[in-house]
């Protein structure tokens, strides 16, 4: 083995992949992929914590996989697979469930948000969701987890569980670190810049799908909610403008200060148009590659089958170690 460190990350196949998912997670996966051994999973088991239509879910899972690749993830160099194809995720989640406290899980803000949103289906899976996520990460001896800032709390829990398990049973898991980008870690809704851009937002004008056409992107940015002033500046109280500046900085690789300087003296109309153009430019090749990839089902199948096969090998070794540590009889 070389001394490359290990990355694990995933996105759940719900709604469509947004500019938030892209800037918070995917774009960084792409830039880190050659310097680490990477596992990028479509975490389908997480997605059933909210009710899914089975036919739509199966189709969406393939579309998500194709979008990972279309963004520039190399499906041969990295392990790209569906979480449900690797049974160890569920197996380790069970063992970790027995080492996590109800109190810890009750504090998770995502659980509180999601149970408020889905009050007719507050199932046990929604509650233990972060434990499955910890299993995803710990199975691969992951060093680094590139995610948006909303996942920081879940990652903290994964670290706590790893440390607790190691203290109880002896050195078993690597304690992972989050990788949260400087810009783009929390892209806000274009319609309500005080709440996170979310793929399950019923208002399509609030989010940009990475597959949106340039004219739709332009329209959504044109309608983006800003404020009643007219100065493009980054400061408290200007949530809408701040969000557009961060998006622009993240897409172009510039700093927010450089972006502010660039738009000095511009009206909001021109500013929104330019941000929209920069985003459309970034996403255009992704949409084109996606269309090609979706025509090539055999290739997609090769990627996810080989990914899962390798992942099963790695995770089986972790599981036999874990089962031995907790005191189960050897198979
Ligand atoms: P949902 O709305 O269904 O909860 P989501 O849009 O929050 O979904 P997830 O699958 O939960 O998407 O997240 C996938 C990855 O994208 C995670 O790393 C998460 O931190 C990141 N992410 C999600 N939304 C944003 C956002 N608005 N800004 C930056 N990163 C984000
Ligand atoms: N919970 C994450 C998705 C996720 C994940 C992971 C991210 C599931 N397992 C492992 C990083 C590593 C979310 O974004 N909602």
């Amino acid at each position: 083995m070389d001394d490359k460190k290990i990355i694990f990350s995933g996105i759940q196949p719900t709604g469509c992949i947004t500019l938030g998912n892209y800037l918070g997670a995917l774009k960084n996966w792409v830039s880190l992929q050659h310097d680490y051994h990477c596992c990028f999973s479509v975490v389908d088991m997480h997605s059933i914590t909210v009710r899914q239509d089975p036919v739509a879910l199966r189709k969406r899972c393939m579309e998500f996989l194709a979008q990972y690749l279309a963004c520039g993830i190399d499906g041969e160099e990295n392990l790209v697979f569906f979480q449900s194809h690797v049974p160890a995720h569920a197996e380790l989640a069970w063992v970790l469930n027995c080492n996590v406290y109800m109190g810890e899980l009750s504090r998770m803000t995502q659980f509180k948000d999601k149970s408020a949103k889905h009050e007719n289906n507050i199932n046990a899976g929604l509650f233990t969701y972060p434990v499955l996520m910890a299993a995803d990460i710990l199975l691969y001896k992951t060093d680094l987890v590139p995610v948006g800032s909303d996942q920081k709390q879940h990652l903290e829990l994964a670290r706590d569980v790893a440390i607790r398990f190691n203290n109880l049973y002896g050195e078993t898991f690597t304690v992972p670190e989050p990788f949260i980008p400087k810009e783009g870690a929390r892209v806000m809704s274009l319609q309500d810049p005080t709440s996170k851009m979310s793929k399950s937002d019923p208002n399509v004008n609030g989010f940009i799908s990475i597959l949106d056409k340039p004219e739709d992107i332009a329209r959504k940015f044109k309608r983006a909610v800003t404020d009643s002033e007219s100065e493009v500046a980054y400061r408290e109280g200007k949530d809408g403008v701040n969000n557009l500046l961060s998006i622009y900085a993240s897409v172009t690789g510039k700093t927010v200060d450089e972006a502010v300087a660039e738009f000095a003296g511009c009206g909001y109309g021109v500013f929104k148009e330019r941000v929209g153009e920069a985003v459309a430019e970034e996403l255009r090749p992704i949409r084109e590659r996606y269309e090609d990839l979706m025509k090539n089902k055999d290739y997609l199948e090769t990627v996810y089958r080989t990914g899962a096969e390798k992942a099963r090998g790695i995770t089986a070794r972790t599981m036999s170690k874990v089962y031995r540590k907790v005191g189960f009889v050897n198979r």
Side-chain angles (χ1 to χ4, degrees), residues 61-91:
C61 283
M62 287 298 279
E63 292 166 352
F64 269 53
L65 186 95
Q67 285 172 76
Y68 283 14
L69 303 179
C71 285
I73 298 293
D74 184 326
E76 284 149 58
E77 190 179 325
N78 307 294
L79 306 194
V80 181
F81 59 92
F82 297 114
Q83 184 188 31
S84 63
H85 291 189
V86 184
H89 289 251
E91 293 176 331

Side-chain angles (χ1 to χ4, degrees), residues 8-12 21 29 41 43 46 83 110 114 129-130 132-134 136-137 145-148 150-151 154-155 196 199:
F8 184 100
S9 198
I11 299 179
Q12 39 177 355
N21 303 135
W29 303 359
S41 184
V43 287
H46 277 100
Q83 184 188 31
Q110 184 175 300
K114 292 254 153 129
Y129 175 113
L132 178 58
M133 174 165 166
D136 296 342
I137 296 167
V145 185
V147 282
D150 62 316
Q151 293 303 309
H154 286 166
L155 214 87
K196 189 187 87 152
K199 39 182 159 69

Side-chain angles (χ1 to χ4, degrees), residues 40-53:
F40 298 122
S41 184
V42 176
V43 287
D44 48 1
M45 289 162 65
H46 277 100
S47 72
I48 61 167
T49 53
V50 300
R51 199 73 74 214
Q52 301 291 336
D53 170 56

Side-chain angles (χ1 to χ4, degrees), residues 272-291:
K272 290 183 191 177
E273 201 175 299
R274 296 261 300 279
V275 178
E277 279 164 11
V279 170
E281 227 11 73
E282 172 91 2
L283 299 182
R284 190 176 42 79
I286 298 178
R287 204 183 68 251
E288 288 167 4
R289 281 197 295 264
Y290 171 75
E291 275 157 21

